[in-house]
Amino acid sequence: MTLSELIEPVQAEILINSPDFSQRRVNCVVASDLMSDVLVAAHDDFLLVTSLASDQMIRTADLVGAAAVLVVNGKRLPDSAMQMAGKLGITLLRTSLPKYEACVAIGHAAKEQP
Amino acid sequence: MNRLPDLSPDKSPLSLVELIYGTPIKEVMSADPVTLDRKASMRRAQELMRDKGITGIPVAEDGRLYGIVSIHDLIRAMQIEKLDTTVEDLMTSKVVTLEEAMPLSMAISYFGKYSYGRFPVMNSQQLLTGIITVRDINVTLINRLMQEVTRYEAMLDNDVKPGLSITRVFHTRRHDFEHGGRASTAIKQHLVEHNLDRRLIKKVAIASYELEMNQVVHSIGGTISFKVTPESVEILVQDRGPGIENVEAALTEGFTTAADWIKSLGFGAGLGLPNAKRVSDEFFIHSQIGVGTTVKAIIYLKSKETER
């Protein structure tokens, strides 16, 4: 599914919009709050679902080529994290859903895809 | 007199930094030095210096070091006409020594700090195993320099993608999470700009980031350097301590010494070193308590196996 198709199921706010937002595809989802786990994720173009709202999470996502970061629990992000996402061209989304519920909602939406 | 240039890691070329901080004294010293027994005469010291062409002789028995007779001690003995006195009486008994495992940088700084012409080198059991002089250092440096220059000259003949090859050094500070990761982001962007294979870039990014954040989390600060050539990316991280107590344990997944507040930032899960090692084609780690940790990770850019 594309990034834009993700918005509705989790009622995400778009905090930072990368240039290729509407076409960028998400091939898989990685849900973690551990940098090392994210780094181990061997996939490309994944969506990172996390409750860690920090600069480092954005940096980590960029380093391994994540398509976007979805911050759960409606966490507030530091300005520096927003700036970094903008600079690195990473789409940054936020949902008020908890991590598990967000993942389930994305899972359902993915199944309904043709 | 010529002054020694500033050899701090951030001010020197990477290959030099690697050489002087990464080479143990053991590889530079002259092993099995000529020694004198305590009861030997100063005349014997004089003969040995003349025959062997040396200017200082450790006084040692069965590896245990008692002192050193230098050419200055000998001149003094000649002045007071005491060449038949035992070396024990006229040697310098307060001796500054170095250890085999210390980096060459330590020897260089000792020669700057003290006016001695040589330092006895001890092993970990505090037994004398060698002696190091400025000459030993010169010979090593010239040899290595020749190898490096030969390598660079050979590289100039290859058709190198313009601008890909770079050497860069970054600094990290203890618990500076705000800037930690900067080096890895910069090197990743450099590789992206040169259209390298995405999987290779990812390997470099992972190794670099894990090693960089390890320094931020665990060390008191250090440097992370990159040497990019068409063949490989070499990541060299060096910190100033405190050193890893058990390197083998640190390479085990899940082993961690990180504090809880660091874990709450998403770091310190005990995967850093194993992760960095997993993605590297060559991985070397050396650590000494009180001195610091050096890790070298190499990722081949021309390897056929680029999965992961």
Side-chain angles (χ1 to χ4, degrees), chain A residues 24 33-46 52 54-57 59-66 80 84 87-88, chain B residues 176-182 184-185 188-189 198-199 201-202 205-206 209-210 213 263-269 271-272 275 278 308:
Chain A
R24 188 81 193 254
D33 295 336
L34 262 183
M35 308 292 173
S36 280
D37 280 350
V38 178
L39 292 177
V40 178
H43 327 273
D44 284 324
D45 295 322
F46 63 89
L52 257 187
S54 69
D55 297 17
Q56 288 304 334
M57 203 33 113
R59 207 189 275 285
T60 308
D62 170 63
L63 281 169
V64 287
S80 52
M84 189 174 292
K87 212 170 87 188
L88 297 174
Chain B
D176 180 6
F177 288 96
E178 193 188 330
H179 295 108
R182 226 178 7 169
S184 304
T185 302
K188 183 207 158 190
Q189 277 172 355
R198 280 180 76 174
R199 285 165 300 179
I201 296 178
K202 198 158 162 173
I206 292 172
Y209 189 59
E210 292 284 18
M213 293 317 292
K263 289 184 186 149
S264 75
L265 295 173
F267 294 101
L271 292 169
N275 235 354
R278 182 179 57 86
R308 293 204 105 134

Side-chain angles (χ1 to χ4, degrees), chain A residues 11-31:
Chain A
Q11 282 140 46
E13 303 168 60
I14 305 167
L15 300 176
I16 300 289
N17 205 335
S18 77
D20 56 353
F21 178 72
S22 53
Q23 280 93 49
R24 188 81 193 254
R25 291 194 70 80
V26 173
N27 292 330
C28 90
V29 176
V30 174

Side-chain angles (χ1 to χ4, degrees), chain B residues 14 18 187 203-209 211-212 224-227 233-237 280 282 284 295-299:
Chain B
L14 183 60
E18 203 175 295
I187 206 70
K203 286 171 79 174
V204 173
I206 292 172
S208 158
Y209 189 59
L211 294 173
E212 185 177 2
I224 174 162
S225 335
F226 301 92
K227 188 154 81 180
V233 176
E234 194 176 305
I235 307 166
L236 182 74
V237 290
S280 301
E282 284 180 46
F284 161 86
V295 181
K296 183 151 88 171
I298 301 176
I299 288 118

